[in-house]
Amino acid sequence: MNPRAAEGFRCPVCGQALTLLPGRLTCGRGHSFDLAREGYVNLLPVQKKHAKSPGDSPLMVEARRRFLAGGHYALFARALSQLAAGLARPGQPFRVMDAGCGEGYYDRALLPALQKKTDQALLLGFDISKEAVRLAARAQKEEVAFAVASCFSAPVRDGWADLALNVFAPFARQEYLRVLRPGGYLIYAVPGPDHLFGLKEVLYQTPYRNPCQEVEYPGFVQRDDLPVSGRIALTGQQIPDLFAMTPYYWKTPRQGALRLEELKELTTPIQFRFLVYQKEN
C-alpha cells in the first residue's frame, strides 16, 4: 500500500484521519484495521454490509479480469488515462479517488499516465467487492492504496481528491462533493447508446439502445462529454466472460442465455461516454 495515498483514507467508524502503521491503519481514537496479505484494507463496517459477500461475485470478478486482460476495452483505458492526465498540472499534486475500482484495470493504465505528467500523482481506490479489491491490490501492491468500502460511505477525507472516477459504479453525488476539493473534477463513465448492442441482439427478442441522457447534478458543472467507440470480435470463452461481467447476466431470459451459449463468435459495438464534471467552488 502506498503510504502517501493511504493518507487519504479516513476511519469508517468515527471519520478521523487514518495513519498507516506496519500491517494496519489506525485512527486517533484507536480504531484499527489490519492490512490483508495483498496490501489492501477492509473499511466496510459490518453494519453497512447488506449481504454476506456484497458486490460482484467471484464468478463475475474473474470473468471481468479475463475479459479485460484480453485488451478488449483497451481503447477505453487509454481514453480515460489521457482525459485524466489532461486535468493534472505538471509538477503539481494530483490526487485521484477511484470509487468502484473493481479489480483495478483502469487504475493500472491511469497511474503511469499521471506519473508522466507529475511526480506527485496519488491514487486510492475502493470497491464493495472484496474479491475485486484483492485482485486490484495484488497487481499494484506498492503503488496504490486500495480498500473494501461502499461508494455511499467513501472512506476518504473531506476535500482530499482532485479527481473522482466512476466507471459504471453506483453514483454517490453527495460523497463525491464531500471528498473533492473546490474546483475538483469528476469523470463519470456511462455506456453509450450502442454499447454491447450486438450482445443484446442475441439475448433479447427486442434489443434496445441505451438512453443518451443529459443529467444535471447539483453542485457540479458539466465540462465535457467524450464518446469513445469501437468494435470487438469475440470467440470461445471471451463470449461468456463478457456476458458474466454485465448486468444482463442476472436479468436475461433463459432462452436468450441459451442462444448465447450456442454462439461460436460474437461481434458487437462498444461505446463509452466519459462525462466530465467540475465541482463548484
Side-chain angles (χ1 to χ4, degrees):
M1 177 176 287
N2 182 294
R4 291 175 57 220
E7 293 175 358
F9 283 134
R10 74 171 190 174
C11 178
V13 179
C14 66
Q16 288 198 0
L18 288 170
T19 300
L20 180 62
L21 300 177
R24 62 193 175 99
L25 287 172
T26 186
C27 75
R29 292 189 178 178
H31 301 120
S32 184
F33 307 90
D34 293 339
L35 297 187
R37 178 178 57 191
E38 294 84 357
Y40 69 90
V41 62
N42 193 328
L43 298 178
L44 182 65
V46 173
Q47 63 269 27
K48 294 186 179 180
K49 292 176 64 173
H50 302 295
K52 183 178 180 180
S53 299
D56 292 342
S57 68
L59 181 150
M60 295 180 72
V61 170
E62 186 58 27
R64 186 170 59 230
R65 184 197 65 77
R66 287 194 301 264
F67 180 85
L68 294 175
H72 307 294
Y73 279 8
L75 76 166
F76 299 138
R78 287 194 298 269
L80 176 60
S81 299
Q82 292 169 4
L83 184 58
L87 300 175
R89 295 181 179 180
Q92 297 297 311
F94 195 72
R95 300 181 293 194
V96 181
M97 176 192 77
D98 187 357
C101 64
E103 67 297 316
Y105 172 74
Y106 296 102
D107 297 327
R108 291 192 291 277
L110 176 62
L111 189 58
L114 290 176
Q115 290 172 334
K116 290 180 181 179
K117 191 71 172 289
T118 173
D119 60 359
Q120 298 187 61
L122 297 174
L123 193 154
L124 66 76
F126 57 87
D127 197 283
I128 202 168
S129 169
K130 181 178 178 180
E131 178 62 19
V133 172
R134 185 182 68 82
L135 292 177
R138 189 169 66 183
Q140 287 180 285
K141 189 171 183 178
E142 306 299 331
E143 300 177 273
V144 180
F146 285 112
V148 179
S150 167
C151 290
F152 295 99
S153 186
V156 181
R157 289 164 36 204
D158 295 1
W160 179 84
D162 298 291
L163 171 65
L165 298 180
N166 178 313
V167 181
F168 288 13
F171 193 84
R173 182 181 66 88
Q174 290 291 349
E175 285 295 82
Y176 303 147
L177 288 172
R178 180 182 64 79
V179 303
L180 281 170
R181 63 164 174 81
Y185 292 91
L186 165 68
I187 298 179
Y188 183 27
V190 298
D194 294 325
H195 187 56
L196 300 182
F197 191 76
L199 174 64
K200 289 189 281 190
E201 285 183 308
V202 178
L203 298 178
Y204 304 118
Q205 293 291 343
T206 307
Y208 59 91
R209 286 181 163 80
N210 300 311
C212 190
Q213 299 176 330
E214 298 294 335
V215 180
E216 293 185 3
Y217 297 105
F220 287 102
V221 177
Q222 186 169 352
R223 296 303 188 193
D224 205 353
D225 182 343
L226 176 66
V228 180
S229 302
R231 197 168 187 85
I232 55 174
L234 307 177
T235 59
Q237 184 62 40
Q238 297 166 349
I239 299 173
D241 280 349
L242 172 62
F243 182 42
M245 64 181 259
T246 69
Y248 314 130
Y249 184 80
W250 302 109
K251 58 183 181 181
T252 294
R254 179 60 180 161
Q255 289 302 314
L258 289 174
R259 286 194 297 272
L260 192 71
E261 288 178 4
E262 295 172 355
L263 284 187
K264 302 299 183 184
E265 57 185 33
L266 171 71
T267 300
T268 181
I270 54 174
Q271 185 179 61
F272 280 15
R273 290 171 63 204
F274 291 106
L275 309 179
V276 181
Y277 296 89
Q278 188 173 20
K279 179 181 173 180
E280 294 177 335
N281 292 330

